[in-house]
C-alpha cells in the first residue's frame, strides 16, 4: 500500500478524572513516506499520542487525518478495516504483539489472515517477509523461546505483515540491551529503505530519533522547539 501522511490539528486528550490534559493542543504533520520520532520523558504524552493515532481511543478535542481519512469521523467497523491494513501499531511490550505459542512464521501468517481475500493474494509469503527484514533465521522458531530483542524485531515484522501505509511504534527499543537495541535500529533502517511506508515512533531513546532522521519533542503534552 502506498504511504499515507499524518496530520494532527489542535489535538487534545484529557483522561477522565485527571486535572490536566495528557496531550494539549498539539499540531503535527508527517508527509507520506516520511519518518518521525516523537521523544519525551516518561509521562510526557507519547503513548497517548500514538494510541490516538492508532484509533484506540478518541481525542477529547481536535482532528487526526491519516491521508484523506479523518479518524474522528470513522466508525468502529471502519477502524477495524484500517487497523492492520492502512496502519499498524506495534505496542510497547513485544510479547503483547505476538502469539507466544506459535512460530515467527505463524505470527506473520496470523496477522495476514485478517486481510480481505483479494488483499491477501498480494501479500508476501511469511518466510519471504522475514527474510527481507533479515529475520529469516527466526522463521521456524517458537516465539516463547525468542529473546526480548528477537521478539521486538519480530513484532515490527508482524506490524509490516499486511504492508501498511503507516507504521506506528511505541518504544521500539525499551527494555533491550545495547546489542539488541542496535539490531532493532538496523531493522528500522531497513524498513525505511525497503517498504517506503510512513513511520512514526514514540520513544525516550535518542538513538531511535537518530535512526529515523527527524524528531519532535513532547514536554507535558506539548511540542517544544
Ligand atoms: N488511562 C489513563 N488514565 C488516566 N491517566 C492516564 C492514562 N494513561 C496515561 N495517563 C496519564 O497521561 C499522561 C501521559 O501518559 P503517557 O502514557 O502518554 O506518557 P508516556 O510519555 O508514554 O510515558 P512513558 O514514557 O512512561 O511510557 C501521564 O500523566 C499519565 O499518568
Ligand atoms: Mg508510554
Amino acid at each position: 500500500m502506498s504511504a499515507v501522511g499524518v496530520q494532527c490539528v489542535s489535538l487534545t486528550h484529557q483522561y477522565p478524572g485527571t486535572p490536566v490534559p495528557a496531550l494539549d493542543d498539539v499540531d503535527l504533520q508527517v508527509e507520506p513516506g516520511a519518518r518521525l520520532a516523537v521523544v519525551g520523558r516518561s509521562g510526557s504524552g507519547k503513548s497517548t499520542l500514538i494510541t490516538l493515532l492508532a484509533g484506540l481511543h478518541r481525542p477529547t478535542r481536535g482532528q487526526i487525518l491519516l491521508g484523506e481519512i479523518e479518524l474522528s469521523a470513522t466508525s468502529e467497523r471502519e477502524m477495524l478495516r484500517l487497523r492492520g491494513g492502512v496502519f499498524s501499531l506495534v505496542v510497547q511490550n513485544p510479547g503483547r504483539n505476538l502469539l507466544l505459542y506459535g512460530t515467527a512464521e505463524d505470527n506473520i501468517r496470523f496477522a495476514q489472515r485478517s486481510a480481505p481475500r483479494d488483499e491477501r493474494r498480494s501479500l508476501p509469503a511469511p518466510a519471504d517477509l522475514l527474510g527481507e527484514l533479515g529475520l529469516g533465521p527466526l522463521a521456524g522458531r517458537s516465539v516463547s523461546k525468542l529473546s526480548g530483542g528477537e521478539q521486538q524485531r519480530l513484532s515490527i515484522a508482524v506490524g509490516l505483515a499486511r504492508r501498511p501505509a503507516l507504521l506506528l511504534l511505541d518504544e521500539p527499543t525499551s527494555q533491550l540491551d545495547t546489542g539488541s537495541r542496535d539490531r532493532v535500529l538496523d531493522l528500522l533502517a531497513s524498513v525505511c529503505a525497503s517498504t517506503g511506508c510512513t513511520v512514526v515512533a514514540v520513544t525516550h531513546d535518542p538513538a531511535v530519533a537518530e535512526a529515523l532522521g527527524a524528531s519532535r519533542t513532547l514536554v507535558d503534552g506539548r511540542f517544544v522547539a
Side-chain angles (χ1 to χ4, degrees), residues 2-123:
S2 54
V4 295
V6 179
Q7 195 182 1
C8 301
V9 184
S10 304
L11 189 64
T12 297
H13 193 67
Q14 185 156 1
Y15 292 100
T18 60
V20 291
L23 265 191
D24 191 4
D25 205 22
V26 162
D27 292 324
L28 179 68
Q29 180 132 19
V30 187
E31 298 300 329
R35 284 90 213 205
L36 179 74
V38 173
V39 295
R41 292 189 173 174
S42 181
S44 58
K46 303 183 299 294
S47 293
T48 303
L49 174 64
I50 207 87
T51 50
L52 286 172
L53 293 181
L56 293 183
H57 43 223
R58 307 266 175 182
T60 312
R61 270 196 309 283
Q63 271 189 322
I64 301 170
L65 289 149
L66 302 184
E68 305 281 297
I69 304 161
E70 199 202 318
L71 279 197
S72 53
T74 302
S75 66
E76 284 304 319
R77 194 188 166 88
E78 175 68 356
M79 198 72 89
L80 273 177
R81 193 188 66 79
L82 299 176
R83 200 172 285 139
V86 174
F87 64 85
S88 114
L89 170 68
V90 179
V91 297
Q92 189 159 354
N93 177 345
R96 288 171 53 206
N97 295 293
L98 300 170
L99 301 169
L100 295 178
Y101 47 82
T103 63
E105 231 177 273
D106 292 336
N107 271 262
I108 303 288
R109 202 172 293 118
F110 186 77
Q112 292 178 334
R113 266 195 5 209
S114 58
R117 194 179 298 256
D118 55 338
E119 181 195 323
R120 235 181 293 165
R121 272 189 233 109
S122 64
L123 293 176

